[in-house]
Amino acid sequence: MTHTNELAVVTGASTGIGFELAKCAAEDGYDLIIAADEPEIENAAVQLRGLTRNVKVVQADLATLDGVDQLYAATEGRAVNVLFANAGRGLGHGFLDQDFDEALRVVNTNITGTIYLIQKIGRDMRTRNEGKILITGSIAGFMPGAFQAVYNGTKAFIDSFSFALRNELKDTEVTVTCLMPGATETEFFRRADLLDTKVGAGKKDDAAEVAAVGYRAMQHGDGDVVSGWKNKIQSAIANVTPSAMLAEQHRKMAEPGSARK
Ligand SMILES: NC(=O)c1ccc[n+]([C@@H]2O[C@H](COP(=O)([O-])OP(=O)(O)OC[C@H]3O[C@@H](n4cnc5c(N)ncnc54)[C@H](OP(=O)(O)O)[C@@H]3O)[C@@H](O)[C@H]2O)c1
């Protein structure tokens, strides 16, 4: 319990990596404000209240500016010591076959709402000259995501944005860390309708382990961390592989029906 009376905000904390990040923070004694869009977030709060004293729940659509305003208002002017900007969603199938509103929701959750919240809380951190931001990016940001094109594009944005913001804040005590997981066992693939794909059906990393890696990197103020050695190798190879080849590799993992090939 090293952070009693400090506050952590965790978005997308109802399930998966966000829930595990919230657990790490709760175990370290942080008070929590946890946010997600669906009522499931209340169940997460019940579990987290067994680990730390103060857990406030915000049920809001963080794809909208209003939803983010609602979350920010819930801080009631209290300093946010750590922000876990984690909420995100995927979307499988070919881009031309996707419902555009769903694709827009991916962009608005993963990018618009995320950077709006980071700007609001980041400004307060800069004023206080204190704070840590952990952004959940993805190794998906390194490769053109055939059959998950919009999602991978949003993560390329987020990976890049994270390093840029970190650099802008280098003369302050505010750190920005990007957690880049590979395929991780969460609700993500079901929600994105990717279960019938090789990546959706394949073996994945454990969400608690991924969160622990990100949490540690955030504590150290590292710039980025790719969780898992396989993902480290995959991202290193991606850096030196032509984009067309990466897109073809991604097709093999994410094309509908690829799980049965
Ligand atoms: N799983 C992977 O393989 C993987 C790999 C790399 C990166 N990531 C990233 O990890 C992050 C967490 O995903 P996960 O894998 O843990 O998936 P998950 O289990 O589906 O969790 C996603 C969380 O984000 C919330 N969320 C999504 N859209 C929201 C919205 N519009 N407003 C508010 N909350 C919203 C969900 O809550 P609601 O259900 O209430 O919407 C849920 O709490 C995402 O940014 C994802 O891109 C995942």
Side-chain angles (χ1 to χ4, degrees), residues 14-15 17 37-38 61-62 86 89 151 155 184 186 191:
S14 57
T15 57
I17 298 168
D37 192 26
E38 304 287 334
D61 182 1
L62 300 177
N86 165 81
R89 54 204 311 127
Y151 173 77
K155 289 298 168 175
T184 305
T186 68
R191 285 179 172 148

Side-chain angles (χ1 to χ4, degrees), residues 76-261:
E76 298 181 281
R78 194 173 157 193
V80 176
N81 305 95
V82 184
L83 168 62
F84 297 93
N86 165 81
R89 54 204 311 127
L91 187 61
H93 295 273
F95 173 65
L96 299 184
D97 301 320
Q98 290 175 344
D99 178 303
F100 191 74
D101 286 341
E102 280 189 52
L104 194 57
R105 192 161 160 73
V106 172
V107 173
N108 286 340
T109 304
N110 299 5
I111 299 180
T112 315
T114 299
I115 64 169
Y116 184 50
L117 180 65
I118 290 171
Q119 190 182 62
K120 286 176 105 62
I121 291 180
R123 280 177 175 163
D124 297 340
M125 288 179 171
R126 182 179 60 181
T127 301
R128 296 195 321 271
N129 198 25
E130 177 270 336
K132 294 187 180 302
I133 300 173
L134 181 72
I135 308 177
T136 309
S138 175
I139 64 165
F142 301 145
M143 50 195 121
F147 296 98
Q148 235 217 140
V150 173
Y151 173 77
N152 283 41
T154 65
K155 289 298 168 175
F157 178 106
I158 285 297
D159 293 350
S160 160
F161 172 84
S162 181
F163 272 102
L165 180 62
R166 176 181 177 81
N167 179 271
E168 290 177 16
L169 290 169
K170 73 176 185 178
D171 296 326
T172 76
E173 295 300 316
V174 181
T175 59
V176 182
T177 303
C178 191
L179 167 61
M180 299 172 182
T184 305
E185 198 61 65
T186 68
E187 292 297 309
F188 178 90
F189 294 92
R190 184 185 58 75
R191 285 179 172 148
D193 198 12
L194 282 163
L195 289 181
D196 189 25
T197 64
K198 244 192 186 81
V199 63
K203 189 171 166 5
K204 302 183 194 61
D205 296 333
D206 177 70
E209 283 171 21
V210 170
V213 167
Y215 190 82
R216 269 198 303 277
M218 175 279 294
Q219 281 178 311
H220 296 154
D222 297 341
D224 67 320
V225 63
V226 174
S227 50
W229 63 267
K230 264 195 208 158
N231 300 322
K232 283 186 177 43
I233 293 170
Q234 203 181 329
S235 53
I237 293 172
N239 274 329
V240 293
T241 307
S243 295
M245 210 178 273
L246 291 171
E248 184 61 27
Q249 283 170 8
H250 202 277
R251 160 189 281 266
K252 293 194 173 87
M253 294 190 297
E255 188 173 14
S258 55
R260 287 172 275 129
K261 281 183 188 161

